[in-house]
Amino acid sequence: MKLSRAFFNRPTLQVANDLLGTYLVFGKDRRTLAARIVETEAYISENDPACHAAPGRTARNRHLYGRPATIYVYLIYGMYYCLNVVTEREGFPAAVLIRAAEPVEGFADAKKGETSRLLNGPGKLCRAFGIDLTQNGADATGTKLFFERRDGSSVAAAVSPRIGISKATELPWRFYDSQSSSVSGPRRFNEAARLR
DNA sequence: TATAGGATTGCC
DNA sequence: GCAATCCTATAG
């Protein structure tokens, strides 16, 4: 079943953890794309130096202040888009970055073997889904782009520091499925976190 | 207006 | 190790 706005209106760390094992669903043109989320990161408030809300409200980050389940998309390095879903109460800037997933439905090359590498990074995930600024500000409880819980397996969740940032690098706000081969980043990140 | 740097990726 | 590529935030 579809994840409700109430699901996202909770502490961001909890949402980031609980999103593991749920499905991202996107109706693109006439087909449906779906993937099982295996890696997320939390970005929380103007007091988190790595969060885009750190400078306060700006034109770019305005959707971070929106109601829970709002989609926040931005362009990074002039080349890749990153997909976030806003958490906590309206007016409190926080979100979960969707970093990696396993293709489940609708991906053309999902049967060619290299399925585990198709969505293993936030930029690659958006590219494969066809997500760009068109989705910025969208409502993730609607019919076009949403999150869904399906029956089945539990997730062996692990945590580690967030990847690719230069500030607040010590906070263990990255969550991932330790059993998945679709997790992003150098292998050592995952191994090191597993040994904690 | 100018400039440094970025929640990345893939190639050298 | 590092370039690609362009938008954002901040300083001048």
Side-chain angles (χ1 to χ4, degrees):
Chain A
M1 64 184 256
K2 196 177 291 188
L3 299 186
S4 68
R5 196 174 314 285
F7 175 92
F8 298 96
N9 191 12
R10 297 185 299 144
T12 306
L13 295 178
Q14 211 159 302
V15 175
N17 179 78
D18 293 352
L19 277 175
L20 296 179
T22 69
Y23 291 76
L24 172 64
V25 182
F26 186 38
K28 179 83 174 160
D29 302 324
R30 281 213 178 80
R31 63 199 170 128
T32 297
L33 300 174
R36 180 179 174 275
I37 296 170
V38 299
E39 183 180 348
T40 62
E41 280 178 359
Y43 289 87
I44 310 174
S45 91
E46 299 177 351
N47 295 320
D48 172 3
C51 181
H52 283 182
R57 193 189 286 250
T58 67
R60 175 176 67 157
N61 69 23
R62 67 191 187 280
H63 289 122
L64 281 177
Y65 293 78
R67 61 181 177 170
T70 298
I71 293 295
Y72 170 53
V73 180
Y74 64 90
L75 177 67
I76 187 65
Y77 296 114
M79 269 175 273
Y80 301 99
Y81 294 100
C82 288
L83 172 69
N84 298 254
V85 57
V86 172
T87 56
E88 313 209 25
R89 71 176 194 277
E90 181 164 8
F92 184 89
V96 173
L97 169 69
I98 310 302
R99 286 195 57 91
E102 298 167 348
V104 170
E105 181 185 341
F107 295 96
D109 42 354
K111 292 181 179 176
K112 293 182 181 174
E114 274 306 306
T115 84
S116 70
R117 298 287 145 110
L118 184 65
L119 309 174
N120 66 338
K124 296 172 71 176
L125 185 148
C126 281
R127 189 177 57 191
F129 266 90
I131 288 170
D132 58 27
L133 290 181
T134 307
Q135 282 71 45
N136 194 25
D139 176 13
T141 65
T143 56
K144 185 161 173 72
L145 177 60
F146 57 90
F147 296 84
E148 185 174 56
R149 185 180 307 289
R150 299 182 177 180
D151 292 333
S153 57
S154 61
V155 175
V159 300
S160 83
R162 294 173 292 184
I163 291 179
I165 55 174
S166 61
K167 300 168 188 166
T169 55
E170 76 289 353
L171 298 175
W173 288 359
R174 171 175 175 255
F175 300 79
Y176 64 96
D177 178 351
S178 59
Q179 307 292 91
S180 176
S181 58
S182 296
V183 167
S184 79
R187 193 90 195 148
R188 63 178 176 279
F189 265 105
N190 311 324
E191 298 298 337
R194 208 173 299 180
L195 295 175
R196 283 157 44 93

